[in-house]
Amino acid sequence: MGKLKQYYQIVRLVVSIIRHSIFYIVRNLKGIFSSPKTHLKKVDQSVDSTYQNFLKINYSVWENFLEDIKDIKKGYILIDGRVNHPGYLMTNIIVANYIRKNTQLYPLAFLTGRKEKKISNFFMSYGVKDFFHLNANKSNLICILKSFLTLVKLASTLKRTDDILKLKIDGISIGYLLYDEYLKQTGNGTIKTITFNFYWVTFWALRCYYHFDRLFKKKNISIVVQPEINYVVGGLLSRVALKHGAVIYSPWYWRYGIAVRKYDDPKSIHTYQARPSKKLYDYFYKNHKNEAIKAAEEFLQQRFSGEDEDKDAVLAFSKTKRVLSKLEICKMFGWSINVPIVCIMSHVFVDAPHCNNWMLFRDFLTWYQLTLKAIHSIDHVNWLIKAHPSEKYYFCRETTESEYQILAGDCSHVKILPDDVNSKSLLSTVQAIVTVSGTAGLEFSCFGIPCILSGESSYSGFGFTTEPQSQKDYFELLKNIHKVRPLDNHQIEKAKLFAYLYFILFWVHCNLIPAMSTHNDFEEECVWKEATDMIINHKPSDEKLFHLVQAQMAGNHTRLVNWDF
Protein backbone atom coordinates (compact mmCIF):
# COMPACT_ATOMS: atom_id res chain seq x y z
CA MET A 1 0.00 0.00 0.00
CA GLY A 2 2.92 2.29 0.80
CA LYS A 3 4.42 1.71 -2.65
CA LEU A 4 1.12 2.45 -4.40
CA LYS A 5 0.82 5.72 -2.48
CA GLN A 6 4.40 6.63 -3.41
CA TYR A 7 3.79 5.94 -7.11
CA TYR A 8 0.53 7.91 -6.97
CA GLN A 9 2.37 10.91 -5.58
CA ILE A 10 5.01 10.66 -8.32
CA VAL A 11 2.29 10.50 -10.99
CA ARG A 12 0.74 13.64 -9.47
CA LEU A 13 4.18 15.23 -9.64
CA VAL A 14 4.53 14.33 -13.34
CA VAL A 15 1.23 16.07 -14.09
CA SER A 16 2.33 19.12 -12.09
CA ILE A 17 5.70 19.23 -13.87
CA ILE A 18 4.00 19.13 -17.29
CA ARG A 19 1.68 21.99 -16.28
CA HIS A 20 4.64 23.88 -14.84
CA SER A 21 6.66 23.41 -18.04
CA ILE A 22 3.83 24.61 -20.29
CA PHE A 23 3.33 27.66 -18.08
CA TYR A 24 7.07 28.33 -18.16
CA ILE A 25 7.25 28.14 -21.97
CA VAL A 26 4.22 30.40 -22.52
CA ARG A 27 5.21 33.03 -19.99
CA ASN A 28 8.98 33.09 -20.36
CA LEU A 29 9.63 32.17 -24.00
CA LYS A 30 11.40 35.46 -24.67
CA GLY A 31 13.46 35.19 -21.50
CA ILE A 32 14.77 31.74 -22.44
CA PHE A 33 16.70 33.06 -25.40
CA SER A 34 17.71 36.53 -24.24
CA SER A 35 19.77 38.07 -21.49
CA PRO A 36 18.38 40.79 -19.27
CA LYS A 37 19.33 44.33 -20.27
CA THR A 38 19.14 46.61 -17.30
CA HIS A 39 20.90 49.91 -16.70
CA LEU A 40 21.19 52.21 -13.77
CA LYS A 41 19.40 55.02 -15.59
CA LYS A 42 16.34 52.84 -16.17
CA VAL A 43 15.22 52.71 -12.55
CA ASP A 44 11.78 51.16 -12.05
CA GLN A 45 9.32 54.05 -11.80
CA SER A 46 7.53 52.33 -8.93
CA VAL A 47 10.58 52.79 -6.74
CA ASP A 48 10.22 55.81 -4.50
CA SER A 49 12.35 58.91 -4.96
CA THR A 50 14.31 58.30 -1.75
CA TYR A 51 15.51 54.96 -3.09
CA GLN A 52 16.37 56.44 -6.50
CA ASN A 53 18.38 59.19 -4.83
CA PHE A 54 20.32 56.58 -2.86
CA LEU A 55 21.09 54.62 -6.04
CA LYS A 56 22.50 57.64 -7.86
CA ILE A 57 24.73 58.83 -5.02
CA ASN A 58 25.78 55.30 -4.11
CA TYR A 59 26.76 54.57 -7.73
CA SER A 60 29.22 57.47 -7.91
CA VAL A 61 30.86 56.61 -4.58
CA TRP A 62 31.46 52.96 -5.38
CA GLU A 63 32.52 53.72 -8.96
CA ASN A 64 35.32 55.80 -7.46
CA PHE A 65 36.23 53.07 -4.92
CA LEU A 66 36.42 50.39 -7.63
CA GLU A 67 38.12 52.47 -10.33
CA ASP A 68 41.43 50.61 -10.05
CA ILE A 69 39.82 47.19 -10.58
CA LYS A 70 40.36 45.91 -14.10
CA ASP A 71 37.20 44.84 -15.94
CA ILE A 72 38.56 41.44 -17.00
CA LYS A 73 36.39 38.32 -16.74
CA LYS A 74 39.16 35.91 -15.74
CA GLY A 75 37.35 34.88 -12.61
CA TYR A 76 34.08 35.62 -10.84
CA ILE A 77 32.84 36.42 -7.39
CA LEU A 78 29.21 35.32 -7.02
CA ILE A 79 27.12 37.54 -4.73
CA ASP A 80 23.89 36.26 -3.22
CA GLY A 81 21.04 38.74 -3.68
CA ARG A 82 18.02 36.63 -2.81
CA VAL A 83 17.15 38.05 0.62
CA ASN A 84 14.98 41.12 0.13
CA HIS A 85 16.23 42.93 3.23
CA PRO A 86 18.35 46.11 2.97
CA GLY A 87 20.66 45.12 5.82
CA TYR A 88 21.55 41.73 4.36
CA LEU A 89 21.83 43.06 0.81
CA MET A 90 24.13 45.94 1.80
CA THR A 91 26.26 43.65 3.94
CA ASN A 92 26.67 41.13 1.13
CA ILE A 93 27.62 43.56 -1.61
CA ILE A 94 29.90 45.71 0.57
CA VAL A 95 31.85 42.66 1.81
CA ALA A 96 31.99 41.42 -1.80
CA ASN A 97 33.37 44.75 -3.02
CA TYR A 98 36.03 44.69 -0.31
CA ILE A 99 37.00 41.19 -1.45
CA ARG A 100 37.03 42.37 -5.08
CA LYS A 101 39.47 45.11 -4.13
CA ASN A 102 41.87 42.40 -3.01
CA THR A 103 41.22 39.77 -5.70
CA GLN A 104 40.26 41.73 -8.85
CA LEU A 105 37.42 39.26 -9.44
CA TYR A 106 34.48 40.14 -11.69
CA PRO A 107 31.10 40.43 -9.88
CA LEU A 108 28.12 38.23 -10.71
CA ALA A 109 24.96 38.79 -8.68
CA PHE A 110 22.62 35.88 -8.01
CA LEU A 111 18.91 36.76 -8.03
CA THR A 112 15.85 34.55 -7.92
CA GLY A 113 14.15 35.88 -11.08
CA ARG A 114 14.33 38.50 -13.83
CA LYS A 115 11.48 40.57 -12.41
CA GLU A 116 13.49 41.66 -9.38
CA LYS A 117 14.42 44.93 -11.04
CA LYS A 118 14.58 46.88 -7.81
CA ILE A 119 17.25 44.56 -6.45
CA SER A 120 19.17 44.43 -9.73
CA ASN A 121 19.32 48.24 -9.77
CA PHE A 122 20.52 48.12 -6.18
CA PHE A 123 23.41 45.85 -7.17
CA MET A 124 24.28 47.98 -10.19
CA SER A 125 24.69 50.98 -7.90
CA TYR A 126 27.55 49.01 -6.29
CA GLY A 127 29.22 48.29 -9.63
CA VAL A 128 27.65 44.95 -10.53
CA LYS A 129 26.74 44.47 -14.21
CA ASP A 130 26.13 40.74 -14.69
CA PHE A 131 23.34 38.66 -13.16
CA PHE A 132 22.42 35.00 -12.78
CA HIS A 133 18.68 34.38 -12.43
CA LEU A 134 17.73 31.06 -10.89
CA ASN A 135 14.19 31.00 -12.30
CA ALA A 136 15.13 32.10 -15.82
CA ASN A 137 17.92 29.73 -16.71
CA LYS A 138 18.31 28.84 -20.41
CA SER A 139 18.65 25.14 -19.61
CA ASN A 140 15.36 25.07 -17.71
CA LEU A 141 13.55 22.45 -19.78
CA ILE A 142 16.52 20.08 -19.87
CA CYS A 143 16.96 20.63 -16.15
CA ILE A 144 13.32 19.74 -15.49
CA LEU A 145 13.69 16.35 -17.17
CA LYS A 146 17.01 15.63 -15.49
CA SER A 147 15.62 16.60 -12.09
CA PHE A 148 12.58 14.37 -12.50
CA LEU A 149 14.65 11.30 -13.40
CA THR A 150 16.86 11.90 -10.38
CA LEU A 151 13.79 12.35 -8.20
CA VAL A 152 12.41 8.94 -9.22
CA LYS A 153 15.75 7.39 -8.32
CA LEU A 154 15.86 9.08 -4.93
CA ALA A 155 12.20 8.31 -4.19
CA SER A 156 12.89 4.58 -4.54
CA THR A 157 15.25 4.77 -1.54
CA LEU A 158 12.67 6.36 0.78
CA LYS A 159 11.07 3.73 2.98
CA ARG A 160 10.43 5.93 6.04
CA THR A 161 10.83 9.56 7.02
CA ASP A 162 14.21 8.98 8.72
CA ASP A 163 15.57 8.04 5.28
CA ILE A 164 15.13 11.66 4.17
CA LEU A 165 18.17 12.71 6.20
CA LYS A 166 20.31 10.15 4.33
CA LEU A 167 19.60 11.49 0.83
CA LYS A 168 22.63 12.47 -1.28
CA ILE A 169 23.32 13.59 -4.82
CA ASP A 170 26.80 13.37 -6.33
CA GLY A 171 28.17 12.78 -2.85
CA ILE A 172 26.53 15.91 -1.42
CA SER A 173 24.14 15.43 1.52
CA ILE A 174 20.87 17.12 0.62
CA GLY A 175 18.47 15.35 3.00
CA TYR A 176 19.01 17.84 5.83
CA LEU A 177 18.32 20.74 3.47
CA LEU A 178 15.16 19.11 2.11
CA TYR A 179 13.91 18.38 5.61
CA ASP A 180 14.39 21.95 6.85
CA GLU A 181 12.98 23.48 3.67
CA TYR A 182 9.84 21.36 3.96
CA LEU A 183 9.34 22.49 7.56
CA LYS A 184 9.77 26.14 6.61
CA GLN A 185 7.36 25.96 3.65
CA THR A 186 4.64 23.94 5.35
CA GLY A 187 4.93 25.29 8.91
CA ASN A 188 5.06 21.71 10.22
CA GLY A 189 7.55 21.07 13.01
CA THR A 190 8.30 17.52 11.89
CA ILE A 191 7.79 15.15 8.93
CA LYS A 192 5.46 12.30 9.83
CA THR A 193 4.82 10.97 6.33
CA ILE A 194 6.37 11.56 2.92
CA THR A 195 3.76 13.59 1.06
CA PHE A 196 3.31 15.00 -2.42
CA ASN A 197 4.52 18.38 -1.15
CA PHE A 198 7.79 16.81 -0.04
CA TYR A 199 8.35 15.34 -3.51
CA TRP A 200 7.66 18.76 -5.01
CA VAL A 201 10.21 20.38 -2.68
CA THR A 202 12.72 17.69 -3.66
CA PHE A 203 12.07 18.24 -7.37
CA TRP A 204 12.57 21.98 -6.93
CA ALA A 205 15.79 21.35 -4.97
CA LEU A 206 17.14 19.13 -7.75
CA ARG A 207 16.44 21.86 -10.30
CA CYS A 208 18.40 24.30 -8.14
CA TYR A 209 21.23 21.81 -7.82
CA TYR A 210 21.59 21.27 -11.57
CA HIS A 211 21.34 25.00 -12.29
CA PHE A 212 24.11 25.72 -9.80
CA ASP A 213 26.24 22.85 -11.03
CA ARG A 214 25.96 24.09 -14.62
CA LEU A 215 26.77 27.65 -13.53
CA PHE A 216 30.00 26.61 -11.79
CA LYS A 217 31.04 24.42 -14.73
CA LYS A 218 30.42 27.28 -17.15
CA LYS A 219 32.02 30.13 -15.21
CA ASN A 220 35.21 30.27 -13.19
CA ILE A 221 33.69 31.24 -9.84
CA SER A 222 36.35 31.20 -7.14
CA ILE A 223 34.52 33.06 -4.33
CA VAL A 224 30.88 33.11 -3.23
CA VAL A 225 29.50 35.72 -0.82
CA GLN A 226 26.28 34.50 0.78
CA PRO A 227 24.75 35.02 4.24
CA GLU A 228 22.49 31.98 4.44
CA ILE A 229 23.93 28.48 3.95
CA ASN A 230 20.86 26.51 5.07
CA TYR A 231 17.62 25.41 3.42
CA VAL A 232 17.47 24.43 -0.25
CA VAL A 233 18.73 27.40 -2.24
CA GLY A 234 21.39 28.74 0.11
CA GLY A 235 22.39 25.27 1.25
CA LEU A 236 22.80 23.87 -2.26
CA LEU A 237 24.59 26.97 -3.52
CA SER A 238 27.20 26.68 -0.76
CA ARG A 239 27.67 22.94 -1.20
CA VAL A 240 27.97 23.10 -4.98
CA ALA A 241 30.44 25.97 -4.62
CA LEU A 242 32.64 23.94 -2.26
CA LYS A 243 32.35 20.93 -4.55
CA HIS A 244 33.83 23.01 -7.39
CA GLY A 245 36.64 24.36 -5.24
CA ALA A 246 35.21 27.84 -4.55
CA VAL A 247 35.60 29.58 -1.19
CA ILE A 248 32.55 30.92 0.65
CA TYR A 249 32.57 34.12 2.66
CA SER A 250 29.40 34.23 4.73
CA PRO A 251 28.57 37.71 6.10
CA TRP A 252 26.09 37.85 8.94
CA TYR A 253 24.13 41.05 9.55
CA TRP A 254 22.93 41.63 13.11
CA ARG A 255 22.27 44.52 15.45
CA TYR A 256 25.80 44.19 16.82
CA GLY A 257 27.30 44.83 13.39
CA ILE A 258 28.69 42.49 10.76
CA ALA A 259 30.44 39.15 11.18
CA VAL A 260 32.12 37.16 8.40
CA ARG A 261 33.01 33.47 8.37
CA LYS A 262 34.96 31.68 5.67
CA TYR A 263 34.16 28.14 4.51
CA ASP A 264 36.69 26.35 2.31
CA ASP A 265 36.11 22.75 3.38
CA PRO A 266 32.91 20.78 2.60
CA LYS A 267 33.22 19.08 6.00
CA SER A 268 32.78 22.40 7.80
CA ILE A 269 29.59 23.53 6.09
CA HIS A 270 27.38 22.29 8.97
CA THR A 271 29.36 24.33 11.49
CA TYR A 272 27.55 27.33 12.94
CA GLN A 273 28.65 30.65 11.46
CA ALA A 274 29.14 32.02 14.98
CA ARG A 275 31.21 29.08 16.24
CA PRO A 276 34.89 29.96 16.83
CA SER A 277 37.76 27.56 16.36
CA LYS A 278 39.18 25.89 19.43
CA LYS A 279 42.53 27.43 18.55
CA LEU A 280 41.15 30.99 18.62
CA TYR A 281 39.24 30.33 21.84
CA ASP A 282 42.34 28.93 23.55
CA TYR A 283 44.42 31.89 22.36
CA PHE A 284 42.13 34.39 24.03
CA TYR A 285 41.77 32.28 27.14
CA LYS A 286 45.55 32.19 27.50
CA ASN A 287 46.37 35.77 26.53
CA HIS A 288 43.31 38.00 27.12
CA LYS A 289 41.08 36.16 29.58
CA ASN A 290 40.71 38.91 32.19
CA GLU A 291 39.93 41.72 29.72
CA ALA A 292 37.53 39.46 27.81
CA ILE A 293 35.64 38.40 30.93
CA LYS A 294 35.29 42.00 32.11
CA ALA A 295 33.91 43.06 28.70
CA ALA A 296 31.51 40.09 28.68
CA GLU A 297 30.21 40.94 32.14
CA GLU A 298 29.47 44.52 31.10
CA PHE A 299 27.72 43.31 27.96
CA LEU A 300 25.61 40.72 29.81
CA GLN A 301 24.59 43.29 32.39
CA GLN A 302 23.32 45.49 29.58
CA ARG A 303 21.61 42.58 27.81
CA PHE A 304 19.77 41.33 30.90
CA SER A 305 18.73 44.88 31.75
CA GLY A 306 16.70 45.08 28.54
CA GLU A 307 19.02 47.66 26.96
CA ASP A 308 20.43 45.38 24.26
CA GLU A 309 19.26 46.22 20.74
CA ASP A 310 18.98 42.57 19.68
CA LYS A 311 15.32 41.74 18.97
CA ASP A 312 15.29 38.45 20.88
CA ALA A 313 16.97 40.08 23.89
CA VAL A 314 14.44 42.92 23.87
CA LEU A 315 11.57 40.44 23.80
CA ALA A 316 13.06 38.32 26.60
CA PHE A 317 14.41 41.02 28.93
CA SER A 318 12.14 43.98 28.23
CA LYS A 319 11.88 46.51 31.06
CA THR A 320 8.11 46.44 30.63
CA LYS A 321 7.97 42.81 31.78
CA ARG A 322 7.68 41.67 35.40
CA VAL A 323 10.82 40.55 37.24
CA LEU A 324 9.69 37.95 39.77
CA SER A 325 11.50 36.18 42.59
CA LYS A 326 11.51 32.42 43.00
CA LEU A 327 9.00 32.77 45.82
CA GLU A 328 6.64 34.79 43.60
CA ILE A 329 6.90 32.25 40.77
CA CYS A 330 6.23 29.38 43.19
CA LYS A 331 3.16 31.18 44.58
CA MET A 332 1.92 31.78 41.03
CA PHE A 333 1.89 28.04 40.30
CA GLY A 334 1.25 26.69 43.81
CA TRP A 335 4.71 25.11 44.04
CA SER A 336 6.81 24.46 47.12
CA ILE A 337 9.84 26.74 47.20
CA ASN A 338 11.95 23.77 48.38
CA VAL A 339 11.46 21.83 45.13
CA PRO A 340 14.10 22.55 42.45
CA ILE A 341 12.95 24.30 39.26
CA VAL A 342 14.34 23.53 35.80
CA CYS A 343 13.60 25.60 32.69
CA ILE A 344 13.13 24.07 29.24
CA MET A 345 14.07 26.66 26.63
CA SER A 346 12.05 25.85 23.53
CA HIS A 347 12.93 26.56 19.89
CA VAL A 348 11.18 27.87 16.81
CA PHE A 349 10.34 24.41 15.47
CA VAL A 350 10.62 25.32 11.78
CA ASP A 351 13.87 27.30 12.07
CA ALA A 352 16.56 25.09 10.46
CA PRO A 353 16.96 22.36 13.10
CA HIS A 354 19.71 20.69 11.04
CA CYS A 355 22.13 23.60 10.65
CA ASN A 356 24.63 21.85 12.93
CA ASN A 357 26.83 18.73 12.91
CA TRP A 358 24.88 16.61 15.38
CA MET A 359 21.56 16.36 17.15
CA LEU A 360 20.11 13.61 19.35
CA PHE A 361 16.59 13.96 17.95
CA ARG A 362 15.17 14.15 14.44
CA ASP A 363 14.07 17.78 14.83
CA PHE A 364 13.21 20.45 17.41
CA LEU A 365 9.57 19.44 17.68
CA THR A 366 10.38 15.76 18.24
CA TRP A 367 12.85 16.79 20.98
CA TYR A 368 10.22 18.99 22.64
CA GLN A 369 7.43 16.40 22.46
CA LEU A 370 9.57 13.57 23.84
CA THR A 371 10.93 15.86 26.55
CA LEU A 372 7.39 16.78 27.65
CA LYS A 373 6.41 13.12 27.72
CA ALA A 374 9.50 12.31 29.80
CA ILE A 375 8.97 15.03 32.41
CA HIS A 376 5.30 14.15 32.73
CA SER A 377 6.29 11.60 35.38
CA ILE A 378 9.35 13.43 36.78
CA ASP A 379 7.47 15.24 39.53
CA HIS A 380 10.30 15.59 42.05
CA VAL A 381 11.27 18.63 39.94
CA ASN A 382 9.10 21.57 38.89
CA TRP A 383 9.46 22.43 35.20
CA LEU A 384 9.09 25.83 33.56
CA ILE A 385 8.59 25.97 29.79
CA LYS A 386 9.90 29.10 28.04
CA ALA A 387 8.83 29.73 24.44
CA HIS A 388 11.40 31.19 22.04
CA PRO A 389 11.05 35.00 21.92
CA SER A 390 10.80 35.06 18.10
CA GLU A 391 8.31 32.21 17.73
CA LYS A 392 5.54 34.65 16.81
CA TYR A 393 7.46 35.86 13.76
CA TYR A 394 7.35 32.41 12.11
CA PHE A 395 4.56 30.41 10.52
CA CYS A 396 4.35 27.39 12.84
CA ARG A 397 1.45 24.94 12.95
CA GLU A 398 2.72 23.61 16.27
CA THR A 399 3.76 26.06 18.95
CA THR A 400 5.39 25.72 22.35
CA GLU A 401 2.05 26.51 24.00
CA SER A 402 -0.11 24.20 21.88
CA GLU A 403 2.16 21.18 22.36
CA TYR A 404 2.39 21.86 26.08
CA GLN A 405 -1.42 21.86 26.40
CA ILE A 406 -1.62 18.51 24.60
CA LEU A 407 1.22 16.69 26.36
CA ALA A 408 1.66 18.30 29.77
CA GLY A 409 -1.23 20.68 30.35
CA ASP A 410 -2.59 18.39 33.06
CA CYS A 411 0.66 18.38 35.04
CA SER A 412 0.75 20.57 38.13
CA HIS A 413 4.58 20.40 38.14
CA VAL A 414 4.95 21.58 34.50
CA LYS A 415 3.98 25.17 33.62
CA ILE A 416 4.47 27.69 30.80
CA LEU A 417 6.24 30.88 31.84
CA PRO A 418 3.81 33.74 31.07
CA ASP A 419 5.00 36.04 28.30
CA ASP A 420 4.82 39.10 30.53
CA VAL A 421 7.44 37.67 32.91
CA ASN A 422 11.00 38.89 32.31
CA SER A 423 13.46 36.06 31.59
CA LYS A 424 15.81 37.74 34.06
CA SER A 425 13.57 36.22 36.74
CA LEU A 426 15.02 32.81 35.94
CA LEU A 427 18.49 33.76 37.20
CA SER A 428 17.38 33.47 40.81
CA THR A 429 14.83 30.73 40.17
CA VAL A 430 16.09 27.80 38.09
CA GLN A 431 18.63 25.14 38.92
CA ALA A 432 19.34 24.18 35.29
CA ILE A 433 18.50 24.97 31.67
CA VAL A 434 17.48 22.36 29.07
CA THR A 435 17.59 23.14 25.34
CA VAL A 436 18.89 21.80 22.04
CA SER A 437 21.18 24.64 20.99
CA GLY A 438 19.59 27.95 22.01
CA THR A 439 21.56 31.06 22.98
CA ALA A 440 19.95 30.96 26.43
CA GLY A 441 22.27 28.07 27.31
CA LEU A 442 25.25 30.40 26.86
CA GLU A 443 23.65 33.33 28.66
CA PHE A 444 22.67 31.40 31.78
CA SER A 445 25.98 29.48 31.91
CA CYS A 446 27.67 32.85 32.45
CA PHE A 447 25.72 33.09 35.73
CA GLY A 448 26.65 29.60 36.88
CA ILE A 449 23.42 27.88 35.81
CA PRO A 450 24.25 24.56 34.09
CA CYS A 451 22.86 23.88 30.60
CA ILE A 452 21.95 20.48 29.17
CA LEU A 453 22.18 20.38 25.37
CA SER A 454 20.82 17.74 23.01
CA GLY A 455 22.51 19.10 19.88
CA GLU A 456 25.58 20.97 18.73
CA SER A 457 25.42 24.71 19.30
CA SER A 458 27.84 27.54 18.65
CA TYR A 459 29.06 27.15 22.25
CA SER A 460 28.94 23.37 22.86
CA GLY A 461 32.15 21.47 23.48
CA PHE A 462 33.97 24.30 25.28
CA GLY A 463 33.85 22.82 28.76
CA PHE A 464 30.87 24.52 30.40
CA THR A 465 27.85 22.59 29.04
CA THR A 466 26.52 19.09 29.59
CA GLU A 467 26.06 17.11 26.38
CA PRO A 468 24.57 13.61 26.64
CA GLN A 469 25.74 11.28 23.88
CA SER A 470 22.45 9.46 23.28
CA GLN A 471 18.73 9.82 23.82
CA LYS A 472 18.98 7.24 26.61
CA ASP A 473 21.62 9.33 28.39
CA TYR A 474 19.52 12.46 27.86
CA PHE A 475 16.39 11.02 29.46
CA GLU A 476 18.43 9.56 32.30
CA LEU A 477 19.89 13.01 32.90
CA LEU A 478 16.38 14.51 33.07
CA LYS A 479 15.44 12.03 35.79
CA ASN A 480 18.46 13.03 37.84
CA ILE A 481 18.62 16.70 36.93
CA HIS A 482 17.98 17.71 40.55
CA LYS A 483 21.47 16.37 41.28
CA VAL A 484 23.19 18.63 38.71
CA ARG A 485 25.56 21.00 40.47
CA PRO A 486 26.04 24.70 39.63
CA LEU A 487 28.97 25.55 37.39
CA ASP A 488 32.25 26.19 39.19
CA ASN A 489 34.27 29.40 38.75
CA HIS A 490 36.46 27.86 36.06
CA GLN A 491 33.43 26.87 33.97
CA ILE A 492 31.83 30.29 34.46
CA GLU A 493 35.04 31.93 33.22
CA LYS A 494 34.96 29.71 30.13
CA ALA A 495 31.34 30.66 29.45
CA LYS A 496 32.04 34.37 29.83
CA LEU A 497 35.04 34.17 27.54
CA PHE A 498 32.87 32.50 24.92
CA ALA A 499 30.21 35.20 25.37
CA TYR A 500 32.93 37.77 24.68
CA LEU A 501 33.82 36.06 21.39
CA TYR A 502 30.20 35.44 20.40
CA PHE A 503 28.69 38.83 21.26
CA ILE A 504 31.63 41.22 20.90
CA LEU A 505 34.84 40.09 19.19
CA PHE A 506 33.36 38.79 15.93
CA TRP A 507 31.33 41.91 15.17
CA VAL A 508 32.36 45.13 13.48
CA HIS A 509 30.24 48.20 12.91
CA CYS A 510 30.02 49.59 9.39
CA ASN A 511 29.17 53.27 8.87
CA LEU A 512 27.67 52.49 5.46
CA ILE A 513 24.85 50.27 6.73
CA PRO A 514 21.95 51.64 8.83
CA ALA A 515 20.94 49.74 11.95
CA MET A 516 17.57 48.02 11.45
CA SER A 517 15.63 45.03 12.68
CA THR A 518 16.53 41.70 11.09
CA HIS A 519 12.78 41.22 10.73
CA ASN A 520 10.89 43.35 8.23
CA ASP A 521 9.33 45.63 10.85
CA PHE A 522 11.03 48.87 9.81
CA GLU A 523 10.30 51.86 7.56
CA GLU A 524 12.18 51.22 4.32
CA GLU A 525 12.11 54.87 3.25
CA CYS A 526 13.90 55.82 6.48
CA VAL A 527 16.51 53.14 5.80
CA TRP A 528 17.34 54.50 2.34
CA LYS A 529 17.43 58.07 3.60
CA GLU A 530 19.87 57.13 6.36
CA ALA A 531 21.92 55.01 3.95
CA THR A 532 22.21 58.04 1.63
CA ASP A 533 23.47 60.24 4.45
CA MET A 534 25.97 57.57 5.45
CA ILE A 535 27.42 57.09 1.97
CA ILE A 536 27.81 60.88 1.65
CA ASN A 537 29.65 61.22 4.96
CA HIS A 538 31.78 58.07 4.99
CA LYS A 539 34.26 56.65 2.49
CA PRO A 540 34.23 52.88 1.85
CA SER A 541 38.04 52.82 2.05
CA ASP A 542 38.00 54.33 5.56
CA GLU A 543 35.73 51.69 7.07
CA LYS A 544 37.11 49.33 9.70
CA LEU A 545 35.21 46.53 7.98
CA PHE A 546 37.32 47.06 4.85
CA HIS A 547 40.60 46.67 6.72
CA LEU A 548 39.39 43.68 8.75
CA VAL A 549 38.21 41.86 5.61
CA GLN A 550 41.61 42.54 4.05
CA ALA A 551 43.30 41.17 7.18
CA GLN A 552 41.06 38.10 7.20
CA MET A 553 41.98 37.29 3.61
CA ALA A 554 45.67 38.05 4.06
CA GLY A 555 45.89 35.79 7.11
CA ASN A 556 43.59 33.14 5.60
CA HIS A 557 41.53 33.27 8.80
CA THR A 558 38.24 31.44 9.23
CA ARG A 559 36.69 34.30 11.19
CA LEU A 560 36.81 38.06 10.86
CA VAL A 561 38.12 39.28 14.23
CA ASN A 562 37.66 42.82 15.49
CA TRP A 563 41.11 43.15 17.04
CA ASP A 564 40.31 46.63 18.38
CA PHE A 565 38.50 44.93 21.26
Side-chain angles (χ1 to χ4, degrees), residues 150-390:
T150 305
L151 173 63
V152 173
K153 182 179 178 180
L154 292 177
S156 65
T157 67
L158 296 177
K159 310 298 182 185
R160 52 200 180 99
T161 53
D162 285 345
D163 293 334
I164 293 173
L165 300 176
K166 302 174 185 177
L167 291 178
K168 292 185 177 182
I169 179 170
D170 295 341
I172 297 176
S173 295
I174 64 170
Y176 298 102
L177 303 175
L178 295 173
Y179 199 107
D180 290 2
E181 185 70 41
Y182 180 84
L183 300 190
K184 183 178 74 170
Q185 291 196 15
T186 63
N188 295 317
T190 189
I191 300 180
K192 296 179 181 179
T193 58
I194 301 174
T195 64
F196 167 77
N197 287 337
F198 175 78
Y199 284 117
W200 183 257
V201 168
T202 305
F203 170 69
W204 171 58
L206 292 170
R207 285 183 56 203
C208 293
Y209 171 79
Y210 287 121
H211 282 329
F212 292 147
D213 198 50
R214 183 175 183 271
L215 174 67
F216 278 84
K217 287 177 179 176
K218 183 179 179 182
K219 295 186 181 291
N220 179 25
I221 300 173
S222 56
I223 292 178
V224 177
V225 179
Q226 62 170 132
E228 188 258 297
I229 57 173
N230 304 306
Y231 302 110
V232 161
V233 181
L236 287 175
L237 175 60
S238 60
R239 286 152 180 78
V240 171
L242 291 171
K243 169 191 170 185
H244 286 274
V247 175
I248 298 168
Y249 283 89
S250 184
W252 189 3
Y253 174 80
W254 206 8
R255 282 281 191 171
Y256 304 129
I258 296 168
V260 184
R261 183 188 179 95
K262 184 187 71 172
Y263 294 92
D264 55 8
D265 180 2
K267 295 179 181 179
S268 69
I269 198 62
H270 279 287
T271 302
Y272 274 105
Q273 290 166 301
R275 186 177 176 85
S277 67
K278 191 70 165 55
K279 181 179 179 181
L280 184 65
Y281 179 87
D282 290 342
Y283 168 80
F284 276 91
Y285 189 86
K286 181 179 179 181
N287 297 285
H288 303 285
K289 181 178 71 172
N290 293 334
E291 310 98 287
I293 289 175
K294 182 179 178 181
E297 288 173 344
E298 292 174 354
F299 172 85
L300 290 166
Q301 180 65 36
Q302 180 183 25
R303 185 173 177 86
F304 275 72
S305 297
E307 298 174 358
D308 194 340
E309 293 182 343
D310 175 40
K311 188 84 174 181
D312 288 346
V314 171
L315 292 171
F317 307 112
S318 172
K319 292 181 178 180
T320 62
K321 294 187 175 184
R322 294 180 292 161
V323 179
L324 303 180
S325 66
K326 181 179 180 179
L327 179 60
E328 288 173 316
I329 288 178
C330 288
K331 284 184 176 180
M332 180 190 301
F333 299 124
W335 290 344
S336 168
I337 196 170
N338 298 318
V339 177
I341 299 174
V342 174
C343 185
I344 296 175
M345 294 288 189
S346 188
H347 286 263
V348 178
F349 300 134
V350 300
D351 189 19
H354 299 103
C355 63
N356 49 25
N357 286 295
W358 65 271
M359 188 175 175
L360 296 182
F361 299 88
R362 191 200 308 172
D363 46 57
F364 290 144
L365 179 59
T366 301
W367 159 78
Y368 182 59
Q369 290 174 332
L370 293 178
T371 299
L372 288 179
K373 290 178 180 178
I375 66 174
H376 197 282
S377 58
I378 305 177
D379 55 5
H380 55 273
V381 172
N382 287 326
W383 302 86
L384 273 178
I385 311 294
K386 179 72 175 70
H388 192 281
S390 292

Side-chain angles (χ1 to χ4, degrees), residues 278 281 459-465 467 487-488 490-491 494-495:
K278 191 70 165 55
Y281 179 87
Y459 56 89
S460 60
F462 285 89
F464 57 87
T465 53
E467 299 152 35
L487 299 184
D488 58 35
H490 183 57
Q491 291 174 308
K494 285 188 171 184

Side-chain angles (χ1 to χ4, degrees), residues 1-19:
M1 192 68 182
K3 277 289 184 184
L4 287 175
K5 184 177 181 181
Q6 190 177 45
Y7 290 142
Y8 168 70
Q9 290 170 345
I10 293 178
V11 170
R12 281 185 64 194
L13 186 61
V14 172
V15 175
S16 296
I17 290 172
I18 293 173
R19 293 174 59 191

